[in-house]
């Protein structure tokens, strides 16, 4: 017998439709363009997801707030580009990051994207970002932050950010995990200002 929790978890799993051409994807994208639905595409596979829930959005906003505090404090010019749609017809890819940032002078693509993972399945996000040539991708999953830097052979997991090399990743992860948002902001701010 399926429990209510299992039914709810299944609602968060993506729907995958494969063997679509780029042109077919663009037609389907127009048909499914509505609030509450997020579409991604990679190598002929369309991923359809419901918009994220509270757990996802809370973690996303916490990360955004702390990164904004850090970038402002250290004086790095940045543009938060949020869930901007990134796509390449030649790369056969479309993806919306949960968070994205352009660092320094404005470019065409973000320097950093952040994915908050609360469900499994779907397209290979690192492969999608590789085709979009995003320099760095962070994944927040199960209370842990994993960083990937793009090199000649694709992404490699790294311990320190290459686009923000002075950012204390251990501190950032600890503050993301603090239950109270205001307390997380205060601890993060006090620690970076004291170092």
């Amino acid at each position: 017998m399926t429990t209510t929790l299992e039914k709810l978890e299944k609602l968060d799993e993506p729907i995958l439709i494969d063997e679509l051409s780029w042109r077919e994807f663009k037609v389907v994208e127009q048909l499914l363009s509505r609030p509450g639905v997020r579409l991604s595409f990679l190598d002929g596979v369309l991923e359809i997801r419901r918009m994220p829930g509270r757990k996802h959005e809370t973690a996303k906003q916490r990360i955004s707030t702390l990164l904004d505090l850090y970038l402002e404090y250290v004086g790095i010019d940045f543009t938060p580009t949020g869930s901007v749609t990134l796509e390449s017809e030649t790369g056969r890819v479309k993806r919306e990051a949960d968070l994205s940032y352009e660092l320094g002078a404005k470019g065409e693509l973000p320097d950093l994207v952040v994915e908050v993972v609360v469900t499994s399945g779907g397209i290979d996000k690192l492969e999608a970002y590789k085709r979009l040539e995003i320099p760095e991708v962070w994944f927040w999953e199960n209370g842990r932050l994993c960083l990937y830097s793009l090199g000649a052979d694709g992404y490699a997991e790294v311990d320190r950010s290459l686009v923000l090399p002075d950012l204390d990743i251990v501190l950032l992860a600890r503050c993301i995990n603090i239950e109270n948002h205001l307390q997380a902001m205060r601890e993060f701010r006090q620690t970076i200002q004291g170092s």
Side-chain angles (χ1 to χ4, degrees):
M1 180 192 246
T2 305
T3 66
T4 302
L5 181 59
E6 290 171 330
K7 287 178 186 175
L8 288 173
E9 287 173 352
K10 288 200 180 296
L11 287 175
D12 289 331
E13 292 178 6
I15 296 169
L16 301 175
I17 301 170
D18 60 0
E19 298 184 23
L20 293 177
S21 69
W22 181 260
R23 176 180 271 163
E24 290 168 329
F25 160 65
K26 295 309 278 182
V27 170
V28 171
E29 180 181 41
Q30 292 300 314
L31 294 172
L32 295 177
S33 180
R34 60 181 44 129
V37 176
R38 182 180 273 183
L39 305 176
S40 295
F41 183 79
L42 179 66
D43 283 340
V45 178
L46 169 64
E47 175 187 282
I48 306 169
R49 284 189 183 269
R50 288 183 336 142
M51 290 304 282
R54 186 178 197 282
K55 180 179 178 181
H56 177 278
E57 291 301 290
T58 301
K60 178 180 95 169
Q61 291 305 322
R62 175 73 50 79
I63 294 166
S64 174
T65 298
L66 297 178
L67 275 177
D68 290 356
L69 283 172
Y70 175 78
L71 293 166
E72 187 266 333
Y73 178 73
V74 297
I76 295 175
D77 184 23
F78 72 100
T79 303
T81 49
S83 296
V84 67
T85 300
L86 307 167
E87 68 178 31
S88 166
E89 181 177 359
T90 57
R92 296 177 37 133
V93 61
K94 176 197 178 234
R95 183 82 194 130
E96 292 177 33
D98 291 321
L99 292 171
S100 61
Y101 288 85
E102 292 175 3
L103 305 173
K106 289 188 177 191
E108 290 183 30
L109 294 171
D111 299 290
L112 169 65
V113 300
V114 180
E115 289 285 344
V116 176
V117 181
V118 293
T119 61
S120 60
I123 66 169
D124 182 339
K125 293 176 182 79
L126 278 179
E127 180 61 29
Y129 290 126
K130 176 180 155 189
R131 293 189 192 179
L132 292 163
E133 299 178 4
I134 304 299
E136 197 159 288
V137 179
W138 297 359
F139 288 94
W140 176 257
E141 185 172 12
N142 297 323
R144 189 167 166 259
L145 194 59
C146 296
L147 288 63
Y148 295 86
S149 181
L150 184 61
D153 297 328
Y155 285 102
E157 190 168 1
V158 293
D159 293 332
R160 290 196 88 61
S161 171
L162 298 183
V163 297
L164 297 172
D166 296 326
L167 176 61
D168 183 339
I169 298 300
V170 173
L171 169 67
L172 178 62
R174 185 175 77 236
C175 290
I176 295 167
N177 277 312
I178 293 174
E179 182 82 21
N180 181 282
H181 189 71
L182 184 58
Q183 181 184 349
M185 290 173 60
R186 285 179 176 160
E187 183 173 326
F188 187 76
R189 183 184 294 117
Q190 288 170 355
T191 304
I192 63 173
Q193 290 175 347
S195 57

